[in-house]
Amino acid sequence: YGDHRDLHSFPTRRSSDLYREIMQGLDATTAYLAQAIESVGCFEILSKPGTVPLVCFRLAPGTVGDAKAGEKGQGYTVFDISDHLRARGWIVPAYTLAPNAQDIAVLRVVVRENFSRDMADLLADDLRHTVRLLEAHGPVHSGAGATPARTRPRIKAAAPVRHERKGHKTAHGVC
């Protein structure tokens, strides 16, 4: 004790092994999340599995929500979905792609080490609920002719809201 050589007598894991283990866990959670999002039925996954721990997806062409689908539905966008999810505590950014693909708008979820399969299920349930709400009521835009905030339908969580300890963020996580 007290001798620094004693520290070297304990077996230690190499940092590359630990990194590999963490990345394998992230890949498994990312694949699970992609499958859960795809099960909602109106999204197309654009990200490649096994590359980076994120799921990039868009409204599948021709679905009810696809603003280009015309008479099939009221047409809403990934931006509407992102707004509704933010009201539920999720941070799921929506944006258009680079200049040569600016007609493609996507949502992105970054899977972090603390993002569990349970959270993936909650997010998929909230996505499902949001899509149903948008299909029933259409998008709520902030421009001219928009529905005032007090008359908008309230978005309810697919699961009950969990209250965080004081001093902790109330968002489900940065996605």
Side-chain angles (χ1 to χ4, degrees), residues 3 22 25 42 53 64-65 73 80 93 98-99 104-105 112 116 118 121 127 135 145 149 160 174:
D3 188 356
I22 290 169
C42 61
V64 173
D80 298 316
I104 300 172
R112 295 178 178 212
S116 67
D118 289 339
D121 288 334
L127 269 170
E135 286 174 355
V174 175

Side-chain angles (χ1 to χ4, degrees), residues 28-169:
T29 304
T30 301
Y32 184 85
L33 176 62
Q35 187 176 31
I37 290 171
E38 209 164 38
S39 76
V40 174
C42 61
F43 296 112
E44 177 184 3
I45 306 297
L46 300 177
S47 52
K48 287 184 171 182
T51 54
V52 291
L54 67 81
V55 180
C56 180
F57 57 104
R58 68 177 179 172
L59 282 167
T63 59
V64 173
D66 184 15
K68 296 175 188 170
E71 296 179 20
K72 283 185 145 188
Q74 297 187 34
Y76 52 88
T77 67
V78 293
F79 300 99
D80 298 316
I81 293 169
S82 179
D83 288 344
H84 281 264
L85 289 174
R86 184 172 291 272
R88 292 299 319 131
W90 295 104
I91 302 170
V92 180
Y95 54 91
T96 56
L97 296 182
N100 290 338
Q102 70 267 17
D103 59 328
I104 300 172
V106 299
L107 292 155
R108 182 196 71 216
V109 178
V110 175
V111 177
R112 295 178 178 212
E113 194 175 355
N114 65 347
F115 192 90
S116 67
R117 288 183 178 210
D118 289 339
M119 287 182 77
D121 288 334
L122 288 172
L123 177 56
D125 288 344
D126 277 341
L127 269 170
R128 195 171 286 109
H129 180 77
T130 295
V131 166
R132 276 192 230 120
L133 185 69
L134 287 169
E135 286 174 355
H137 301 287
V140 180
H141 298 287
S142 59
T147 307
R150 67 182 175 281
T151 62
R152 292 182 195 156
R154 294 288 300 162
I155 301 169
K156 294 181 182 172
V161 175
R162 290 172 282 167
H163 296 284
E164 300 291 332
R165 292 188 309 241
K166 195 170 191 167
H168 285 75
K169 294 181 181 180

